[in-house]
């Protein structure tokens, strides 16, 4: 028996010419003030965080979160990764004081710490103290988190809607009496009941002969309503 093998090699040579052009960009100057401010400010251990910074920071499941933003600061430890624990300079989680528009909050998380209780759409700024607390604060020895709400718009109707992997947020503000009275509504709802449908369907298929079906009924709605009345040009009451 005679076996014949044929090998065919094809060599292709292509030459691509590319015209290169130089693009001249204008000068970009970046100014930073936080480093110098920390050195010259008389208040130590204070960090002011804006709502824009909270929205820009990468977080788990693409859900902006105030507490998880604080976990990225120096001297702050998250404890279990992905949860809203806050351990500041060796302190415990229950030694932190959270104030929302001046009101103390004793529970700032849902589902054991997966979600925090704060709707980022309604937050204007976060004042975080990890040492040298001012005299107006008290009751905790680890840290102070003072959260300020967004003031409603007294001129026009505005709103925004965000959709994430685990929840959806809606924020609406409109004037009732122009330049006098306005209100804002912030609503957040989680998708846990929707995401758990495939898992519960498998569990129902396994247990259908012994037990009743399990239906998804676990979601976390959060509603914040604020009514602002302007008494004078310098006084506003929420």
């Amino acid at each position: 028996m005679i076996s014949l093998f044929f090998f065919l090699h094809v060599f292709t040579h292509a030459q691509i010419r590319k015209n290169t052009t130089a693009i001249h960009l204008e000068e970009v100057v970046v100014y930073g003030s936080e480093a110098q401010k920390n050195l010259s400010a008389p208040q130590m251990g204070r960090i002011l965080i804006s709502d824009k910074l909270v929205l820009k920071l990468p977080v788990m499941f693409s859900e902006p979160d105030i507490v998880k933003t604080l976990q990225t600061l120096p001297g702050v430890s998250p404890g279990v990764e992905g949860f809203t624990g806050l351990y500041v300079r060796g302190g415990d989680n229950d030694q932190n004081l959270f104030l929302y528009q001046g009101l103390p909050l004793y529970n700032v998380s849902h589902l054991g710490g997966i979600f925090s209780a704060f709707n980022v759409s309604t937050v204007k700024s976060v004042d975080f103290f990890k040492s040298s607390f001012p005299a107006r604060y008290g009751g905790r020895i680890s840290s102070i988190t003072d959260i300020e709400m967004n003031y409603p718009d007294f001129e026009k109707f505005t709103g925004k809607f965000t959709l994430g992997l685990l929840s959806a947020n809606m924020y609406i503000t409109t004037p009732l009496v122009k330049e006098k009275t306005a209100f804002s509504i912030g609503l957040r709802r989680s998708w846990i009941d929707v995401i758990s449908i495939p898992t519960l369907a498998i569990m129902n298929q396994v247990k259908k002969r012994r037990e009743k079906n399990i239906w998804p009924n676990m979601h976390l709605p959060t509603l914040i309503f604020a009514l602002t009345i302007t008494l004078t040009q310098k006084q506003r009451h929420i």
Side-chain angles (χ1 to χ4, degrees):
M1 183 177 65
I2 300 175
S3 301
L4 299 178
F5 297 93
F6 297 93
F7 297 93
L8 180 63
H9 296 276
V10 179
F11 296 94
T12 303
H13 177 73
Q15 184 176 2
I16 301 175
R17 294 183 178 179
K18 183 180 179 182
N19 297 325
T20 59
T21 58
I23 300 176
H24 298 279
L25 300 178
E26 297 181 0
E27 182 183 7
V28 177
V29 180
V30 179
Y31 296 95
S33 59
E34 292 298 328
Q36 187 66 27
K37 184 186 297 184
N38 292 335
L39 294 176
S40 60
Q43 178 65 52
M44 299 177 59
R46 178 190 180 187
I47 300 176
L48 184 62
I49 302 174
S50 64
D51 57 336
K52 296 180 180 179
L53 180 60
V54 176
L55 295 174
K56 289 181 180 179
L57 289 179
V59 292
M60 185 176 293
F61 301 115
S62 70
E63 295 290 334
D65 195 286
I66 293 177
V67 179
K68 293 178 182 178
T69 301
L70 298 177
Q71 293 174 354
T72 62
L73 300 176
V76 182
S77 175
V80 181
E81 185 68 27
F83 290 81
T84 56
L86 203 66
Y87 300 87
V88 182
R89 293 185 173 177
D92 205 349
N93 193 29
D94 59 352
Q95 296 174 348
N96 304 304
L97 175 63
F98 286 88
L99 298 173
Y100 192 79
Q101 202 65 23
L103 300 176
L105 300 179
Y106 301 99
N107 183 24
V108 295
S109 63
H110 296 301
L111 283 180
I114 299 178
F115 293 94
S116 73
F118 305 110
N119 189 346
V120 180
S121 301
T122 63
V123 173
K124 179 181 179 182
S125 63
V126 180
D127 212 356
F128 181 66
F129 298 87
K130 56 183 178 181
S131 65
S132 304
F133 307 146
R136 64 180 182 274
Y137 300 115
R140 298 295 188 274
I141 61 175
S142 187
S143 70
I144 306 294
T145 305
D146 194 355
I147 301 173
E148 183 181 2
M149 292 178 58
N150 274 324
Y151 283 105
D153 197 324
F154 288 83
E155 299 295 333
K156 59 182 179 179
F157 171 84
T158 58
K160 59 182 178 179
F161 177 79
T162 59
L163 183 64
L165 296 177
L166 297 181
S167 65
N169 289 276
M170 181 183 68
Y171 178 75
I172 296 175
T173 174
T174 184
L176 295 178
V177 180
K178 198 170 184 180
E179 299 182 356
K180 294 293 183 180
T181 306
F183 77 93
S184 62
I185 297 177
L187 177 63
R188 182 179 66 169
R189 189 192 189 278
S190 65
W191 303 120
I192 298 178
D193 51 343
V194 179
I195 297 175
S196 60
I197 288 179
T199 304
L200 295 179
I202 298 175
M203 295 175 60
N204 291 333
Q205 187 67 21
V206 174
K207 298 182 178 181
K208 65 179 181 179
R209 297 182 180 179
R210 295 176 297 175
E211 300 178 7
K212 296 182 179 180
N213 291 340
I214 303 175
W215 299 102
N217 192 21
M218 182 182 295
H219 60 276
L220 302 173
T222 304
L223 176 64
I224 298 177
F225 176 82
L227 177 65
T228 305
I229 302 175
T230 302
L231 300 180
T232 62
Q233 293 182 355
K234 295 184 179 180
Q235 290 183 342
R236 287 182 178 179
H237 289 266
I238 298 181

